[in-house]
Amino acid sequence: PRRSTGPEPFARRGGATMVVKTDLCSFSEYRVYPGNGMKFVRRDGQPLTLGTSKAKCMVNQRKKPAKLRWTQAWRRKHRKGKTEETARRRTRRAVKAQRAIVGASLEDIKKRVNRPRRTEEQRQAALKAVKERREQRKEAKKEARTKARGGPAAGAGAAAYRAPSMPKARGAGLR
């Protein structure tokens, strides 16, 4: 059971061609011409055709051909030498299909999605109302604080009134 790539034309001086049967190296996948290479039979009984002593050494070391740059397996793994095929391929875009969710029909879902959004004016009005409420709360807190201090009632003189403070003690021993 010899693996071959088929008849290989071999050019001669007179223009006539001679067909040469070649094998493929089991490791590097290069052509092995008659009279070259060696057959190696593994323990499991599988015969390997090896083109060079380099390939034989790599097989004996149990190296993986896909990890060595000089092998065809590495070139295939890293997509070297195939430039025409890449231009032809085009990716298909996935078409989104709307499906009903359990308990809700498609019409209900579409109604929810197409619900009218709040306009910018409505948003500004809502923000203004929140700010006004915040200001009112601040004012109420201020009035409650001045009443609790026992100062004058909140009114015209409330801003000018300041509670008397204790004089600062100066001297040693207070630090």
Side-chain angles (χ1 to χ4, degrees):
R2 295 178 101 191
R3 272 198 303 168
S4 69
T5 57
E8 189 69 31
F10 197 79
R12 289 231 174 205
R13 269 190 223 139
T17 57
M18 186 177 104
V19 176
V20 176
K21 185 132 180 159
T22 60
D23 283 339
L24 282 181
C25 175
S26 302
F27 190 80
S28 65
E29 298 176 37
Y30 289 136
R31 289 192 197 110
V32 181
Y33 290 96
N36 294 308
M38 60 203 86
K39 281 276 191 189
F40 175 74
V41 182
R42 271 198 277 185
R43 273 190 191 161
D44 60 359
Q46 179 159 3
L48 302 176
T49 306
L50 301 168
T52 59
S53 58
K54 181 180 183 178
K56 185 181 179 214
C57 289
M58 293 295 134
V59 169
N60 288 342
Q61 293 175 43
R62 291 176 164 65
K63 298 284 185 196
K64 291 182 180 167
K67 291 189 173 184
L68 299 168
R69 291 190 73 165
W70 56 273
T71 62
Q72 292 299 312
W74 185 91
R75 292 182 65 80
R76 198 172 33 254
K77 181 181 175 187
H78 295 277
R79 298 185 180 138
K80 304 292 177 189
K82 292 188 177 181
T83 53
E84 304 91 35
E85 291 181 23
T86 54
R88 287 186 215 150
R89 280 189 201 161
R90 284 185 184 158
T91 55
R92 271 197 219 160
R93 287 196 175 173
V95 179
K96 287 188 178 181
Q98 286 204 338
R99 284 180 256 153
I101 300 170
V102 178
S105 66
L106 267 174
E107 291 81 35
D108 295 340
I109 294 170
K110 284 182 181 173
K111 282 179 190 172
R112 287 183 187 173
V113 169
N114 296 332
R115 198 182 307 151
R117 300 273 177 190
R118 282 206 284 182
T119 61
E120 187 64 28
E121 296 88 37
Q122 288 173 332
R123 199 172 140 270
Q124 292 295 335
L127 280 171
K128 195 173 184 181
V130 169
K131 284 181 183 176
E132 284 175 7
R133 270 186 263 139
R134 202 178 288 152
E135 288 295 322
Q136 287 173 355
R137 269 195 223 119
K138 273 188 182 177
E139 291 296 323
K141 273 187 185 178
K142 220 181 231 182
E143 284 182 26
R145 220 181 278 138
T146 53
K147 283 182 184 176
R149 281 187 186 162
Y161 175 76
R162 187 165 177 232
S165 61
M166 293 287 290
K168 287 185 180 178
R170 298 184 188 263
L174 293 177
R175 292 187 190 187

